[in-house]
Amino acid sequence: VFYERDGRTIAYAIVSGPALSDEAALRTVRDDGRAAVTWTRDGRTCVIVGADVSVDVLARLAVW
C-alpha cells in the first residue's frame, strides 16, 4: 500500500509466509536516503519504508 502526503510517499507491506522474527521490537534500517522499519504482528512481518522520512516518523506510524 502506498500513502502520499506533502509530496512524500510511504510504502507499507505485510510479508506473506512466516514472520522473519518472533521479536516484537521494531527494527530500523537507513540506506541511500531511505528509511525502513520492520516489526512482527500476528505472526507476519510488516515493513514500512519512506524516502526523506525520518525513522522516528516511520516508527510512530508502525505502532499506531
Side-chain angles (χ1 to χ4, degrees):
V1 177
F2 293 91
Y3 299 95
E4 187 173 333
R5 182 175 180 185
D6 298 328
R8 294 181 178 158
T9 302
I10 293 175
Y12 171 75
I14 300 172
V15 181
S16 66
L20 297 176
S21 171
D22 290 333
E23 298 175 23
L26 297 177
R27 291 167 299 282
T28 62
V29 176
R30 179 171 275 298
D31 185 40
D32 196 27
R34 292 179 183 84
V37 175
T38 66
W39 68 100
T40 301
R41 181 178 291 159
D42 297 328
R44 301 277 190 227
T45 298
C46 303
V47 182
I48 191 167
V49 180
D52 299 320
V53 179
S54 75
V55 170
D56 292 337
V57 168
L58 294 176
R60 280 185 280 159
L61 291 169
V63 298
W64 180 57

